[in-house]
Amino acid sequence: MTLVIGLTGGIASGKTTVANIFHQEFGIEIVDADIVARQVVEPGSDGLQQIAQHFGTEVIQSDGALNRAKLREIIFADPTHKEWLNNLLHPMIRHKMLNDLENVRSEYALLVIPLMVENNLQTLADKVIVVDVDPETQIQRTVKRDHVDIEQAKAILASQATREQRLAIADYVIKNNTKNQKLLYQITELHKKFLEICRVNL
Ligand code: ATP
């Protein structure tokens, strides 16, 4: 079994930035929960078919893709719809992530799960890295990247696990606070550690 390193962090903490460095510098293959979550409802998928059967074809766009805005509207109006959807999709996402991890050929795999704490998915990883930034930086980066206002950014932060809850599941922490944080250095040190774990477990 490939060593699975989980990677999480709050909104705009730098997960994608960090994962890209692991991939570009060291060839580590990534399984990304957000990408998998889109794949299980892509046109022609079993997931999309079941959603259409349950909510009606109004949740399907004319191009065959999921109408996310419509679906959001439906589940926002009624929590039982949200529960139904989560009960359908969460096992599918989990199953596909495990399947994708089995196909990883790099020394270890990086499993990126933004809502790892919220969905209790740290159990899928052997070790967990948390990308940590202070909330003010998160808000600034969210505002800049997503063109939302400060209040919206704060609301998103408030809906996620707290910094403390995330740090509580961390085996390793990458600090990504300032512009000049030595991200590559921190990642290189972790990469060496992970290779050592792989070597010991051979
Ligand atoms: P999300 O889960 O919200 O998609 P994320 O955790 O994957 O976000 P990134 O997309 O990697 O975070 O980074 C968020 C934003 O902050 C991006 O615009 C990125 O360019 C910027 N950013 C990341 N790290 C730094 C840094 N050290 N200095 C300055 N900007 C940074």
Side-chain angles (χ1 to χ4, degrees), residues 28-136:
I28 299 306
E29 291 176 33
I30 315 285
V31 176
D32 183 324
D34 281 354
I35 294 175
V36 171
R38 283 196 291 274
Q39 288 170 336
V40 299
V41 294
E42 67 193 9
S45 64
D46 180 40
L48 188 59
Q49 199 184 341
Q50 291 200 46
I51 290 171
Q53 265 166 17
H54 189 81
F55 294 115
T57 46
E58 61 176 14
V59 294
I60 309 293
Q61 296 170 174
S62 52
D63 64 358
L66 179 63
N67 185 336
R68 289 171 188 279
K70 186 76 208 165
L71 188 61
R72 256 199 306 276
E73 207 178 283
I74 292 172
I75 64 172
F76 188 71
D78 183 346
T80 61
H81 287 325
K82 185 171 180 181
E83 200 183 326
W84 182 88
L85 191 68
N86 284 344
N87 286 342
L88 172 76
L89 295 181
H90 285 189
M92 281 186 175
I93 294 167
R94 194 187 169 93
H95 184 260
K96 181 158 187 352
M97 287 195 301
L98 289 173
N99 200 52
D100 288 356
L101 285 169
E102 276 182 24
N103 292 321
V104 164
R105 292 290 163 262
S106 50
E107 290 99 331
Y108 57 91
L110 203 60
L111 177 61
V112 183
I113 309 184
L115 299 180
M116 184 181 282
V117 173
E118 292 83 346
N119 291 319
N120 210 23
L121 289 171
Q122 58 272 30
T123 49
L124 297 182
D126 297 304
K127 299 281 181 195
V128 173
I129 306 172
V130 170
V131 185
D132 182 56
V133 290
D134 61 275
E136 292 72 29

Side-chain angles (χ1 to χ4, degrees), residues 9-18 34 114 141-142 145-146 176-181 183:
I11 184 167
S13 54
K15 296 176 293 293
T16 308
T17 307
V18 168
D34 281 354
R141 288 182 187 164
T142 303
R145 185 194 58 185
D146 299 342
N176 191 26
N177 262 347
T178 66
K179 218 178 180 113
N180 296 321
Q181 270 299 338
L183 263 190

